[in-house]
Amino acid sequence: MAADQRPKADTLALRQRLISSSCRLFFPEDPVKIVRAQGQYMYDEQGAEYIDCISNVAHVGHCHPLVVQAAHEQNQVLNTNSRYLHDNIVDYAQRLSETLPEQLCVFYFLNSGSEANDLALRLARHYTGHQDVVVLDHAYHGHLSSLIDISPYKFRNLDGQKEWVHVAPLPDTYRGPYREDHPNPAMAYANEVKRVVSSAQEKGRKIAAFFAESLPSVGGQIIPPAGYFSQVADSREKTSSLTSSPWASPLAMATLLPAWPQPSLWRGHLKPPALSTSTRGSYCTSGIPDLGCSHISSWKARTAHVEPHLLLLRTVRPKGFGASALATGLGTRVAVLLPHPHSGAWPTLPGHLTCSLSLAQFGGSPVSCAVGLAVLNVLEKEQLQDHATSVGSFLMELLGQQKIKHPIVGDVRGVGLFIGVDLIKDEATRTPATEEAAYLVSRLKENYVLLSTDGPGRNILKFKPPMCFSLDNARQVVAKLDAILTDMEEKVRSCETLRLQP
């Protein structure tokens, strides 16, 4: 294949002519042409090896042989849609159900996280009869029109905010209104959600759903304060006795859990939380589009004492197989069931709704489910979640040392291998060091480390590598980061923090 590859310049010229400019490249000034990948490494057309700190979608690593084998073997036999009986889809659903709370036992398999979020929105609106949605600032929930409308990250640069969308502050304890020195930031940010809902009620609006990412990524690798989601649930529960209240709707939170649960989710350091029966009927919860299996534990920890109605699973895409799932409560052949907030009963959604939503072209196909089962097997066999937790803690420690050494590093935050490094121009105002962050990731690319930025100020170094990322990888990446920051302090000196010496 290598002999047939175009020169990089020809590939770039063709892309610029044939592919929309809105489909952006990493490192647009000098894009990398990647021709193959293995594990946590990617290789360009010259054979140069890069450490991949971006591609969290390949959770178990690029081109894992067992995943590739599962896709290949099933592709040789059958790949069709899910409207025929096949063992793979039920085997996969059963494996997933074993990792989830008991009430989440009915699945829709879809093609993407966007489709799963769109389905959750449609179910919430159908069941509640309400239209409005509460979201967190800077959130991104998908690229469908319905989801752009509830994604401040997108709609602020397009058609603006719709009257039925209500935005609550992002629970950011580094840059938000309630910071690390606040005595109870979880309660303070939960009260902001309550305030937004109350304001909507006063205008006669009725809330169908509250979409919230468990670990906001596009918002800047945010780690919500512990207890935030349960406080939101509590504030909703306190108004649920008012049957006329829109906030008493049976679905008050619905979003996207980013990765594959697996049996190890419920074992060892990932013990299930004690789910509070007091919140039954209050809301459904999940996470973010592009997180990773290494971070499911953080979803569990930060949504403790909350029973979800809908759980949306953004799944991995090994070898190009897009897949996602929506897990919900007890159901039948033609209906999905959701708990009623007052009676405790499980009313049935009309069958025509579920029938109209029942098919995704590749979600639930024999090959997609074979790949999903293989990923679950690899996660368990190689104990990748424990590995990611251990390596993530080590990486956080190394990055914390960089914070002490380099004033431009304002904050280091993360869970597992979901880590953000917040670069600032000055310590007093925490002004985002946008240009410096872009320069830094470009220099890292020259040193064969692929890393991206995110956040409203595009100043957050965004670590989400495959789960096989190693201790040695962590040392190599941080050593190169340290060298470049030291060089920036000596030569670039473009902002106050690059001129300060600790």
Side-chain angles (χ1 to χ4, degrees):
M1 292 180 61
D4 298 327
Q5 290 173 3
R6 295 183 180 88
K8 175 181 172 180
D10 291 353
T11 303
L12 178 59
L14 281 171
R15 179 173 176 120
Q16 290 172 337
R17 179 165 65 87
L18 298 171
I19 307 301
S20 171
S21 60
S22 64
C23 302
R24 298 176 183 175
L25 288 163
F26 287 122
F27 318 108
E29 296 82 8
D30 183 24
V32 183
K33 182 175 181 179
I34 297 297
V35 298
R36 69 181 183 93
Q38 186 72 45
Q40 66 272 44
Y41 302 105
M42 306 185 86
Y43 300 87
D44 69 15
E45 79 283 7
Q46 302 295 327
E49 180 182 88
Y50 296 80
I51 299 176
D52 180 14
C53 296
I54 296 175
S55 296
N56 64 292
V57 173
H59 297 312
V60 299
H62 295 283
C63 302
H64 193 288
L66 295 181
V67 176
V68 172
Q69 180 182 0
H72 176 66
E73 291 180 353
Q74 182 58 53
N75 237 335
Q76 289 182 307
V77 178
L78 173 69
N79 193 22
T80 186
N81 64 47
S82 60
R83 298 183 70 177
Y84 298 99
L85 278 176
H86 196 273
D87 287 341
N88 284 8
I89 189 171
V90 293
D91 289 344
Y92 186 41
Q94 185 170 1
R95 284 285 300 276
L96 287 176
S97 69
E98 291 169 356
T99 74
L100 299 175
E102 184 177 355
Q103 76 272 20
L104 296 175
C105 58
V106 176
F107 295 86
Y108 289 91
F109 290 105
L110 305 155
N111 296 313
S112 67
S114 289
E115 285 192 16
N117 262 352
D118 179 73
L119 173 55
L121 180 60
R122 294 171 70 183
L123 288 173
R125 284 175 167 168
H126 183 90
Y127 183 68
T128 64
H130 301 162
Q131 173 76 7
D132 290 27
V133 175
V134 177
V135 297
L136 297 179
D137 206 1
H138 309 301
Y140 172 59
H141 295 296
H143 63 268
L144 300 180
S145 295
S146 62
L147 303 176
I148 290 174
D149 284 344
I150 63 171
S151 298
Y153 167 75
K154 287 289 187 181
F155 68 60
R156 288 208 170 99
N157 296 318
L158 296 171
D159 296 332
Q161 184 174 339
K162 301 291 193 296
E163 65 176 356
W164 49 268
V165 177
H166 312 281
V167 181
L170 187 68
D172 180 356
T173 57
Y174 184 70
R175 295 185 172 281
Y178 311 109
R179 299 188 174 185
E180 65 272 13
D181 57 351
H182 191 280
N184 192 344
M187 175 67 78
Y189 280 113
N191 285 339
E192 288 293 326
V193 177
K194 184 178 179 180
R195 177 187 60 78
V196 168
V197 172
S198 296
S199 176
Q201 288 177 338
E202 291 170 1
K203 299 174 183 177
R205 310 299 306 189
K206 295 183 178 181
I207 308 299
F210 171 29
F211 272 69
E213 303 163 273
S214 64
L215 292 173
S217 179
V218 171
Q221 303 291 90
I222 302 301
I223 311 298
Y228 168 71
F229 289 108
S230 60
Q231 293 283 2
V232 172
D234 288 345
S235 67
R236 181 254 172 239
E237 183 68 17
K238 290 175 183 177
T239 65
S240 64
S241 60
L242 304 175
T243 56
S244 62
S245 169
W247 185 227
S249 62
L251 293 177
M253 180 180 284
T255 50
L256 181 65
L257 179 67
W260 304 81
Q262 63 273 7
S264 63
L265 174 64
W266 303 104
R267 297 202 293 268
H269 68 286
L270 300 176
K271 294 178 181 178
L275 296 177
S276 168
T277 58
S278 67
T279 59
R280 176 168 291 138
S282 63
Y283 73 137
C284 52
T285 182
S286 69
I288 50 184
D290 280 320
L291 202 51
C293 304
S294 55
H295 320 299
I296 296 178
S297 59
S298 63
W299 172 78
K300 296 305 298 181
R302 295 179 189 283
T303 56
H305 311 297
V306 171
E307 274 193 20
H309 297 158
L310 298 172
L311 182 62
L312 285 73
L313 303 112
R314 166 62 177 269
T315 59
V316 299
R317 294 177 291 183
K319 299 301 289 181
F321 285 96
S324 64
L326 185 152
T328 187
L330 302 177
T332 69
R333 180 169 55 88
V334 294
V336 90
L337 302 177
L338 298 171
H340 192 277
H342 311 303
S343 68
W346 292 80
T348 303
L349 285 175
H352 73 269
L353 173 67
T354 54
C355 287
S356 70
L357 298 172
S358 62
L359 175 66
Q361 192 67 37
F362 294 104
S365 74
V367 175
S368 293
C369 291
V371 168
L373 286 164
V375 169
L376 292 177
N377 291 336
V378 171
L379 287 168
E380 186 171 14
K381 179 181 178 181
E382 299 183 7
Q383 299 181 324
L384 285 178
Q385 194 162 20
D386 288 340
H387 174 82
T389 299
S390 175
V391 176
S393 296
F394 180 68
L395 179 56
M396 283 278 290
E397 180 182 344
L398 295 181
L399 292 169
Q401 295 170 6
Q402 296 302 299
K403 181 178 182 296
I404 296 171
K405 183 176 180 180
H406 301 290
I408 194 173
V409 179
D411 189 38
V412 176
R413 50 185 178 260
V415 178
L417 285 170
F418 176 89
I419 297 173
V421 177
D422 197 317
L423 302 185
I424 57 174
K425 287 181 178 290
D426 65 273
E427 296 175 325
T429 65
R430 300 179 179 179
T431 303
T434 305
E435 297 80 8
E436 290 76 11
Y439 176 83
L440 179 55
V441 297
S442 179
R443 287 282 305 275
L444 283 168
K445 187 259 293 183
E446 294 171 1
N447 283 268
Y448 305 102
V449 174
L450 302 178
L451 190 67
S452 63
T453 61
D454 222 324
R458 306 297 300 180
N459 66 304
I460 313 299
L461 304 182
K462 184 176 180 177
F463 288 84
K464 295 195 299 182
M467 295 172 69
C468 49
F469 188 84
S470 70
L471 294 173
D472 283 343
N473 294 147
R475 294 186 187 96
Q476 294 170 37
V477 169
V478 176
K480 292 179 179 182
L481 178 69
D482 182 22
I484 295 169
L485 288 176
T486 299
D487 184 68
M488 291 172 67
E489 289 166 350
E490 295 173 353
K491 300 176 182 177
V492 178
R493 302 176 62 82
S494 57
C495 62
E496 179 183 327
T497 49
L498 287 178
R499 295 188 290 269
L500 291 173
Q501 294 300 320

